[in-house]
Structure formats: C-alpha cells, structure tokens
Amino acid sequence: MLSNQEMDNVILEESKYVINTYGRVPAVLVKGDGMNVYDINGNSYVDFLSGISVNNVGHCHPKIVETIKKQAETLIHVSNIYYNIPQVNLAKKLVNISGLDKAFFCNSGAEANEAAIKLSRKYSKAFGKEGEIITMEHAFHGRTLTTITATPKPKYQEGYDPLPTGFKHVPFNDIEKLKESISNKTAAIMIEPVQGEGGIHIADQEYLKAVRELCDDKNIVLIFDEVQCGLGRTGKMFAFEHYGVKPDIITLAKALGSGIPIGAMIAKDEVSNAFTPGSHGTTFGGNPLACATAITSINLISELLNNTNEMGVYFTDKLKKIEEKYDFVREVRSIGLMTGLELSFNGSNIVQEMFKQGYLINCTSDTVLRFLPPLIIQKEHIDGMVSSLDDVFSKI
Ligand SMILES: *Cc1c(COP(=O)(O)O)cnc(C)c1O
C-alpha cells in the first residue's frame, strides 16, 4: 500500500503544474471497478456521482474496455475529411432511438450546445428572425463564452465580458413568463427537461407540452439539453420520453462515451438542412474510437433502464424517510437515478463527511446534495449510503 506522502506529492504537484480552476476533494483516484473507485492509499469509495453522470454503466465496464482496446488497435482518428464506419453507425443508432433525423458529433456538452445554438440561428435566419435564444433560470449549458451566456449564473459570467449577445432568460416551469418573453426575434428555446447543476429541478408535464405548442405556433426551434439527464439517467433513454414531447434538437455528451470524450447534437431534417459543408466542424468530432465506444455505451445503457427505474424508486423511498426525519431537509426531488436532496444550509460539509464514510456524492447550487450513481447500482449500495447519510445527519 502506498503512503500518504505519495498522495500529498500528487496534490502538491497538481497545485504547481495544473491551472487552478477546481476546488478538489483530497482524493487521488487510481482505479475504478463497477460501483467502486480506489484512491492511491488503497481506500475504496462507492461512487454515487459517476464522474457527473458519465460512468452510467459503471467504472471500467468489461465491454467498454474491450471496445476501446479493439478500436484502438484498428483505427483511432482520421478527421472528418474522410468517412469512418463507427461514426455512421453511431449516427444511425442515435437517430433510431431518438426519433430525430440526423446527428452531428463533437467532443463535449458545451460544444454540442454551441452546435445547437449555431444551427438554430442559421435555420431561423431564413424566416427573418434575429437569432435570439431563450434559456431558463438555474440552467447550465457549459463553459464556453456562448454557453456561459446561455447559463444565467453571474459566477460563471463575471470577468468574461464582452459576452455574445442575443440571449434572454426566464423562470423555469413558467409558461406565461416564457410567452411574454418571445418575439419575432426568437430563434430557439433551450431547456434541460431535468436541470442538473441547477439542483435537480424537473420540468412539469404540462409545461413542456405547452412549450412545444408555443414553438410550433411561432416557428421557434425547441432544443432539449439532455447532456446530463439523457442516456438512461432518468430511467428512459431520453428524459423527453417521460413527456411525450419531441424537441427539434437534442444535445448529448457526458454518458455517451462512458468517459471517452464525445458530444452529439441530433436534429430534425428540416432544421439540420440549414448546415451545409463548411457551416460547422471540429477535428476530433465523431472519431472512430469515441463513436465505437458510444455505440457500446448505448447498448449497455438500454439494458440498464429497468434497474434504473427499480433502484430509483427504492432510493427515493429511502430518502423520503430521511426527509421526514430531519427538519433541515427541505425536499427530495428525483426521477430515475437523478436525485437531489435540498438542505436548508450549504451541503459541502456533508459531502466531506460522506467522503470520510467512503461515499462519493456532490453538492450543487450550494444546498442540493446530488446523487447520480451508475445505473448498475443495487439495493445494498443504496442501503449503505442512506444509512451513512442518516449517521452524518444525526450528528448535526
Ligand atoms: C455538463 C453539462 C454541460 C456541459 O458539458 P461539458 O462536457 O462539460 O462541456 C451542458 N449541459 C448540461 C445540462 C450539463 O450537465
């Protein structure tokens, strides 16, 4: 077993050589296996965060590892100047499962949203619109200049002005405010059906239906950012399936490559036809390694949907009991295995205490404990985590 000194050394060198953009938990992780990760000192942790809903099929799934090995030995990258088979196969799969028409590949969630913003602006110019995009309060769409502008959080925007123009924000789940804010400039409305970073806020059924009708009426492109809530997280492949509402564009990333970076934008033909050769592009986007891995990810996720629903219900029931027991728990919000527990105070100490107990959880929007476990989770993991949480809460 390695000593603490080696861990201290990694942390020291990180502070010396890596630009300081993250406040990290003091754990140097060296290995992962299914539900567990291991640190440099040999401690194991049960992962209730999945690298922020990336490791949906668990860590180092044998089929993911096998796919990566096989594709790495065959062809890793060729650029988009040529055709490659995994890219076409992945596009076909995404089109089949989403009911939309065509896919574009990039390397992250922010890039997928950039593509969606660019596409919807280009498409709507033909109708004389001025490219305005409406997004929601508490949304999160990424960290590029344009996507921080789409993300109405001062902390993410401060110091980066001048920001791109043409963005407006309205309260989430409020159809009247949305109606008031649209004009003949409005090109697109962008929504996370379940807000992740914002604190696990779930769109109302009637709301998304009304938004769809509004978009149809006014010829506005409806973009669903499913970077976090998509790909099995909510118990369906896509969160929009819970609503019976189909967007014109959907964006994906996080769980798509099970850790190999890949993002995707899937769109209806009518909209995607606004892009022609030269309109948009990226060097790495849709490379064979990432696409082959994504095909395996999707296949595995589709086999885990039943477990996600069963375990989601089991987990939520247990957390509701915790909610009843402690006054400082304001609310439990959950859909599938996308779960938030809102506290009446900042949750970062709870995250630290849970870490000491061997559980990786996270706190978002200051007060919301966020649980995004791998979809392979079993009752025993939930029982263990909830009992540790109960323990930690009982000492407050
Ligand atoms: C994480 C996230 C993004 C940004 O994805 P990156 O891969 O970090 O660029 C965008 N939208 C949502 C909803 C996310 O959760």
Side-chain angles (χ1 to χ4, degrees):
M1 201 178 285
L2 292 151
S3 73
N4 241 329
Q5 207 187 327
E6 277 166 273
M7 169 177 135
D8 291 346
N9 199 37
V10 173
I11 293 174
L12 189 72
E13 295 216 312
E14 191 270 355
S15 70
K16 198 166 163 196
Y17 297 113
V18 179
I19 292 177
N20 186 20
T21 58
Y22 286 99
R24 297 181 205 260
V25 174
V28 178
L29 301 179
V30 294
K31 189 179 153 56
D33 178 14
M35 282 296 297
N36 301 307
V37 291
Y38 303 86
D39 73 14
I40 196 166
N41 298 322
N43 300 309
S44 75
Y45 304 87
V46 187
D47 189 357
F48 270 73
L49 188 58
S50 307
I52 320 183
S53 201
V54 168
N55 306 105
N56 282 11
V57 303
H59 289 273
C60 299
H61 191 291
K63 288 195 174 150
I64 295 289
V65 174
E66 186 195 315
T67 302
I68 294 171
K69 276 188 181 163
K70 222 171 118 194
Q71 190 60 47
E73 283 168 353
T74 311
L75 188 67
I76 297 175
H77 175 84
V78 291
S79 88
N80 285 302
I81 292 172
Y82 310 97
Y83 294 86
N84 84 72
I85 297 166
Q87 181 178 134
V88 177
N89 287 342
L90 176 60
K92 191 170 166 187
K93 189 170 238 350
L94 286 171
V95 163
N96 282 337
I97 62 176
S98 68
L100 297 176
D101 297 315
K102 285 195 177 70
F104 170 84
F105 296 108
C106 51
N107 315 289
S108 69
E111 276 182 67
N113 287 333
E114 286 269 351
I117 291 164
K118 285 177 76 175
L119 177 63
S120 54
R121 281 186 170 174
K122 206 164 190 21
Y123 164 76
S124 66
K125 289 282 151 63
F127 306 97
K129 307 232 179 161
E130 287 170 45
E132 188 177 83
I133 314 282
I134 298 176
T135 65
M136 302 295 129
E137 284 173 8
H138 305 295
F140 182 79
H141 297 299
R143 298 294 205 113
T144 62
L145 271 176
T146 305
T147 54
I148 59 169
T149 312
T151 300
K153 190 166 173 167
K155 196 176 106 184
Y156 293 160
Q157 298 181 350
E158 264 160 31
Y160 298 118
D161 54 299
L163 297 175
T165 54
F167 286 85
K168 243 192 209 173
H169 313 296
V170 297
F172 188 47
N173 271 332
D174 185 337
I175 192 70
E176 291 313 316
K177 285 273 161 51
L178 182 63
K179 278 182 183 162
E180 284 166 23
S181 76
I182 64 169
S183 69
N184 51 12
K185 292 181 183 172
T186 311
I189 297 171
M190 182 149 88
I191 300 181
E192 296 158 83
V194 185
Q195 294 183 328
E197 303 302 304
I200 318 294
H201 296 286
I202 304 164
D204 296 335
Q205 189 82 38
E206 320 81 70
Y207 177 70
L208 283 195
K209 283 224 158 87
V211 174
R212 177 71 272 178
E213 280 167 24
L214 189 63
C215 288
D216 288 341
D217 258 19
K218 310 270 179 188
N219 203 7
I220 294 168
V221 178
L222 180 57
I223 305 167
F224 281 174
D225 176 347
E226 295 219 12
V227 170
Q228 190 164 151
C229 63
L231 299 169
R233 178 53 56 196
T234 66
K236 294 201 185 276
M237 187 55 82
F238 301 105
F240 75 73
E241 295 173 60
H242 290 283
Y243 296 88
V245 170
K246 213 159 81 177
D248 303 304
I249 299 178
I250 176 170
T251 57
L252 300 172
K254 292 202 163 88
L256 188 55
S258 295
I260 299 290
I262 178 169
M265 167 180 74
I266 323 167
K268 279 188 187 158
D269 262 338
E270 190 198 336
V271 181
S272 70
N273 287 341
F275 272 178
T276 51
S279 293
H280 191 47
T282 158
T283 302
F284 292 134
N287 84 45
L289 183 68
C291 290
T293 311
I295 292 168
T296 303
S297 299
I298 292 168
N299 289 339
L300 291 171
I301 287 167
S302 60
E303 290 165 13
L304 289 168
L305 297 177
N306 282 340
N307 191 62
T308 305
N309 287 309
E310 271 174 44
M311 292 302 118
V313 169
Y314 184 77
F315 188 24
T316 306
D317 284 350
K318 291 217 137 192
L319 287 181
K320 292 266 182 197
K321 294 210 176 84
I322 295 280
E323 180 186 356
E324 280 163 27
K325 193 165 162 186
Y326 298 99
D327 284 350
F328 55 77
V329 178
R330 279 204 187 129
E331 194 178 32
V332 172
R333 295 184 289 270
S334 185
I335 178 165
L337 285 168
M338 189 164 187
T339 301
L341 182 150
E342 186 167 342
L343 298 164
S344 60
F345 51 82
N346 187 300
S348 49
N349 284 341
I350 306 283
V351 173
Q352 276 177 36
E353 289 305 312
M354 288 302 287
F355 175 71
K356 287 185 201 155
Q357 305 255 348
Y359 290 96
L360 303 187
I361 66 166
N362 161 260
C363 177
T364 190
S365 286
D366 300 330
T367 57
V368 182
L369 299 181
R370 178 170 50 167
F371 308 94
L372 304 165
L375 312 182
I376 58 170
I377 197 169
Q378 298 296 309
K379 283 182 180 170
E380 71 214 51
H381 306 113
I382 294 169
D383 293 344
M385 201 287 292
V386 174
S387 126
S388 284
L389 193 67
D390 196 358
D391 225 41
V392 168
F393 279 0
S394 70
K395 289 176 187 129
I396 290 166

